[in-house]
Amino acid sequence: MAKSIVSKKRLSKQFIRWLLEEDRRKRQGRYHKEESHRQHPWWQVMCLTGVDYFSTLGYQPGIAALAAGALSPVATLILVLLTLFGALPIYRRIAAESNHGEGSIAMLERLLSWWQGKLLVLCLLGFVATDFIITITLSAADATAHIIENPLAANWVHNQTIPITLILIALLGAVFLKGFKEAIGIAVFLVAVYLLLNFIVVGVGFYQILTHPEALPNWQTALFSRHSNPLILVGVSLIVFPKLALGLSGFETGVTVMPLVKGSSSDTPQYPRARIENTRKLLTTAAVIMSFFLLTTSFITTLLIPAAEFAQGGKANGRALAYLAHLYFGNAFGTIYDLSTISILWFAGASAMAGLLNIVPRYLPRYGMAPNWARVSRPLVLVYTAIAFFVTIIFRANVEAQGGAYATGVLVLITSAAFAVTLSARRHKEKRATFVFGIITVLFVYTTVVNIIERPEGIRIAACFIGAIIFTSLISRVWRSTELRVERIEIDDNAHQFIAEESQGAIRIIANRLNTGDALEYFLKEKEVRDDNHIPPDDPILFLEIKVSDASEFAEVVKVKGLQVGDYRILRAESAAVPNAIAALLLYIRDQTGKIPHAYFGWVEGNPIQYLLRFILFGEGDIAVITREVVRRAEKDPERRPGIHVGG
């Protein structure tokens, strides 16, 4: 019995050790080390983004037909115009201003400072989670639809939609638990085959329309039977087209993969001109290819497939192009098309999972709003897989039912990108660009609002993600608030000299809140501290002043400057949190000099809860008590802890 318990404990420890193993390459600052990525020609990287972007053809025509009916081609044309003259210009600019793959969220983070910027990022991360999680579940559900509706599939699979979808998601999670690498070669093959097969289906579709002259008049009759006035028809299409917003996905992914795009030897880290141009080629080519297929597939599926087949239970539900492939080429070609579609849809889930694994470590741990294990992919894979299971069960693996949530995530991200670009243009005093991007932003705001009104389930799902992210982030921030929160300490020559002189005897440091900064201030402060703590008058002292920079930040580099005012020597620095910076500097001095420094504080008066909130929100609070706790957590040996003295 005892051996069994020990064996279970050993297995548990081994599992946790494997789970938390660092399988992500180390970061440098905010970005991945670019040399850790093998770079590729832009057209190959386009295929990596294309497994997400182009795979929407698997379900987009069917969803468009359900949403717009006979208006689907007209509404799709409006969507294409918004893609080419709205989303594309926005992301071409983002490629220039966010060329390390940070995307539009990082632009907004830089443009909006302090807590409002962080809260906006948390909300946008909720929509990112909505977009990527629904990409995983929707793609898996559509892949399941292609499996079930294939004529060669066994009869027993027809009632197993949810289990098959869960199996596909579980396999995706297993791949990432094993260790997923950038499989650009696979992406190139999948995209090339998938686009070729779709081109063949589109060609045959137009051939069928030409050889069946009644198809076009029948569509025109259906189109104008309700809306005889062309202007009204266009107006209704403008109202309907937001439901087709799935076709806008892929732009955010296009800029996040910039580190993979090959530039030239003349590129600089600050402004990699060739890489930016190649990324713009990637974005433009992908948008043009997708626009072509959106228009053509919408047209042929609307004209050639009976409306009843698009509905739930119909043979074209979630697989309109596959329906045509089987109808006009037979089951052999249709099965090849199904296998291609299933593969690219499943790989689109891989693209989304990779995006999620990149987005959380990029932001939340840096904000202190996620535990340290969130920097490791395997625990995150388990969390995301569990969420994807839950969403699949809630939506019962229904493709059309998840379309609203997916479109909401995509539209909010593009709208935020348009807003970020507009703010950037305004900041650079580009009046014409500000006006143009402002108009585009208004169009995307309209599209987003209409989509939310028509399909409110999307914003509900996003609200759940946002609420969960904000709640867990705040808990994590409070829990981690007493960490050192300092990446490193840099001191100038004066500060180094002051510390070296002080180390000749007992190192005594007085924490001071800077007011006037004149000799009288330091004289009075020194007298008060010496009297309260019985410091001998001949013992030299240093003053330490920490100014709060941006309390919403979590960890940063603390730069310490040494300056002298009269006979008083001062160490001055800026940090997001005063107690944490003081604790880090005390430990730094201990390690540099080999002596235990002593820091002196005064008591604060007031409600301790108020001071706790001041510390969490504004980086100050009851500095002495929190500094002591930060030191205690950072140094386990009491004998090596810097002394914290409070007098008064």
Side-chain angles (χ1 to χ4, degrees):
M1 183 69 179
K3 288 183 178 180
S4 176
I5 294 174
V6 172
S7 178
K8 288 181 180 179
K9 288 183 177 179
R10 186 181 295 113
L11 289 174
S12 177
K13 288 182 179 179
Q14 290 176 350
F15 173 74
I16 293 174
R17 191 180 301 114
W18 171 80
L19 195 65
L20 298 180
E21 181 183 2
E22 183 57 55
D23 59 354
R24 295 178 63 85
R25 294 187 176 98
K26 293 181 178 179
R27 294 172 181 268
Q28 230 178 20
R30 295 165 66 98
Y31 315 117
H32 284 294
K33 292 181 180 179
E34 294 197 1
E35 59 268 21
S36 67
H37 292 291
R38 181 184 174 189
Q39 295 179 344
H40 306 266
W42 64 267
W43 59 270
Q44 292 183 357
V45 183
M46 181 194 71
C47 293
L48 185 63
T49 66
V51 293
D52 178 14
Y53 194 20
F54 301 143
S55 68
T56 57
L57 293 172
Y59 44 81
Q60 166 76 8
I63 290 178
L66 276 175
L71 284 172
S72 176
V74 181
T76 301
L77 176 60
I78 296 173
L79 178 68
V80 166
L81 294 175
L82 190 59
T83 297
L84 297 177
F85 300 103
L88 181 58
I90 287 169
Y91 280 94
R92 282 175 62 89
R93 177 152 182 155
I94 289 174
E97 298 195 22
S98 186
N99 49 61
H100 288 279
E102 314 97 302
S104 60
I105 295 179
M107 285 182 63
L108 286 172
E109 181 191 25
R110 292 193 297 266
L111 291 170
L112 300 175
S113 60
W114 209 59
W115 283 108
Q116 62 264 34
K118 302 297 186 297
L119 288 175
L120 177 62
V121 169
L122 291 180
C123 291
L124 291 177
L125 288 178
F127 288 105
V128 168
T130 304
D131 182 0
F132 287 161
I133 289 291
I134 298 298
T135 295
I136 294 171
T137 59
L138 188 148
S139 298
D142 195 48
T144 300
H146 283 78
I147 293 172
I148 290 174
E149 294 299 330
N150 187 285
L152 302 181
N155 292 330
W156 63 268
V157 304
H158 284 222
N159 297 320
Q160 306 298 323
T161 302
I162 296 177
I164 294 174
T165 304
L166 293 178
I167 290 172
L168 291 176
I169 294 172
L171 289 174
L172 181 68
V175 168
F176 279 86
L177 286 174
K178 177 65 177 176
F180 180 78
K181 304 298 181 183
E182 294 146 0
I184 287 185
I186 297 174
V188 171
F189 174 77
L190 289 178
V191 168
V193 172
Y194 185 66
L195 292 182
L196 175 62
L197 293 176
N198 275 289
F199 187 79
I200 294 172
V201 172
V202 167
V204 171
F206 275 98
Y207 173 78
Q208 292 295 326
I209 292 172
L210 291 175
T211 55
H212 295 79
E214 72 280 1
L216 190 58
N218 289 342
W219 172 64
Q220 291 174 335
T221 301
L223 189 63
F224 291 106
S225 61
R226 294 185 179 180
H227 314 291
S228 57
N229 190 321
L231 293 178
I232 296 178
L233 187 147
V234 173
V236 173
S237 298
L238 286 170
I239 296 174
V240 170
F241 95 91
K243 297 180 180 180
L244 282 61
L246 294 170
L248 287 168
S249 67
F251 281 101
E252 193 74 24
T253 308
V255 293
T256 59
V257 297
M258 281 192 71
L260 301 178
V261 178
K262 184 181 292 185
S264 71
S265 57
S266 61
D267 283 353
T268 63
Q270 294 76 21
Y271 191 75
R273 183 183 300 276
R275 179 187 297 173
I276 291 170
E277 290 304 315
N278 287 338
T279 302
R280 287 174 168 173
K281 292 178 184 176
L282 180 159
L283 293 169
T284 303
T285 305
V288 170
I289 292 173
M290 190 62 177
S291 296
F292 167 78
F293 279 108
L294 283 174
L295 279 174
T296 54
T297 57
S298 173
F299 188 72
I300 64 171
T301 53
T302 302
L303 269 66
L304 297 176
I305 300 177
E309 297 293 352
F310 290 112
Q312 182 69 29
K315 295 182 179 179
N317 182 254
R319 55 186 300 277
L321 293 175
Y323 174 88
L324 294 180
H326 282 275
L327 179 64
Y328 295 120
F329 289 98
N331 291 337
F333 180 88
T335 299
I336 294 173
Y337 184 89
D338 282 339
L339 290 174
S340 173
T341 305
I342 293 166
S343 299
I344 198 168
L345 285 168
W346 187 80
F347 212 72
S351 175
M353 181 70 83
L356 284 169
L357 294 175
N358 176 66
I359 207 77
V360 169
R362 186 184 290 274
Y363 292 101
L364 295 186
R366 180 161 57 86
Y367 293 170
M369 293 179 174
N372 284 324
W373 58 257
R375 298 180 184 274
V376 185
S377 67
R378 283 172 181 154
L380 291 179
V381 169
L382 293 179
V383 172
Y384 296 146
T385 302
I387 295 172
F389 274 20
F390 179 76
V391 172
T392 296
I393 294 170
I394 289 295
F395 284 105
R396 303 191 60 80
N398 186 295
V399 175
E400 200 276 331
Q402 298 178 71
Y406 186 31
T408 299
V410 170
L411 285 172
V412 170
L413 288 180
I414 295 181
T415 302
S416 67
F419 180 63
V421 169
T422 303
L423 287 180
S424 175
R426 183 180 180 185
R427 178 167 292 187
H428 288 88
K429 298 181 179 179
E430 302 172 9
K431 293 183 179 180
R432 182 176 178 181
T434 302
F435 176 77
V436 172
F437 288 125
I439 295 297
I440 295 174
T441 302
V442 170
L443 290 174
F444 278 117
V445 168
Y446 158 76
T447 306
T448 304
V449 170
V450 170
N451 181 79
I452 290 172
I453 293 173
E454 293 287 336
R455 311 178 80 173
E457 70 275 7
I459 197 66
R460 293 184 192 130
I461 292 292
C464 291
F465 280 113
I466 292 170
I469 287 174
I470 291 178
F471 178 73
T472 56
S473 295
L474 292 179
I475 291 177
S476 176
R477 179 74 181 227
V478 173
W479 185 262
R480 298 185 61 194
S481 61
T482 53
E483 294 179 7
L484 277 182
R485 294 171 55 177
V486 172
E487 293 180 7
R488 66 179 183 276
I489 291 178
E490 298 177 356
I491 64 173
D492 67 5
D493 292 338
N494 285 340
H496 187 274
Q497 181 181 345
F498 293 163
I499 293 171
E501 292 172 354
E502 190 76 8
S503 66
Q504 301 304 313
I507 303 176
R508 303 186 188 276
I509 297 175
I510 297 176
N512 180 56
R513 181 191 293 270
L514 178 63
N515 291 310
T516 59
D518 57 13
L520 179 61
E521 176 185 343
Y522 298 112
F523 170 78
L524 295 175
K525 184 69 175 181
E526 179 185 11
K527 185 177 185 305
E528 175 189 349
V529 172
R530 285 188 185 275
D531 291 343
D532 291 341
N533 296 277
H534 309 290
I535 300 175
D538 295 334
D539 282 11
I541 55 97
L542 278 175
F543 286 93
L544 175 60
E545 297 170 346
I546 307 293
K547 180 182 178 182
V548 176
S549 52
D550 183 352
S552 66
E553 291 292 337
F554 188 74
E556 58 188 352
V557 176
V558 175
K559 298 181 179 180
V560 183
K561 296 181 180 180
L563 62 153
Q564 189 152 349
V565 178
D567 296 330
Y568 304 99
R569 298 169 301 168
I570 301 105
L571 302 177
R572 189 173 292 171
E574 291 188 359
S575 177
V578 174
N580 308 70
I582 293 175
L585 183 59
L586 292 175
L587 292 169
Y588 173 84
I589 292 173
R590 180 204 65 183
D591 295 338
Q592 293 297 311
T593 64
K595 290 190 173 183
I596 303 296
H598 295 264
Y600 298 87
F601 302 84
W603 286 108
V604 296
E605 297 181 0
N607 191 321
I609 297 178
Q610 176 185 350
Y611 282 106
L612 176 62
L613 292 176
R614 282 180 58 83
F615 168 61
I616 293 172
L617 295 176
F618 305 109
E620 295 181 306
D622 193 347
I623 294 175
V625 173
I626 300 173
T627 301
R628 169 68 173 77
E629 177 60 19
V630 175
V631 169
R632 187 192 68 81
R633 286 192 62 181
E635 177 53 70
K636 303 302 180 183
D637 185 358
E639 300 297 325
R640 288 180 47 79
R641 291 174 189 159
I644 305 296
H645 306 270
V646 186

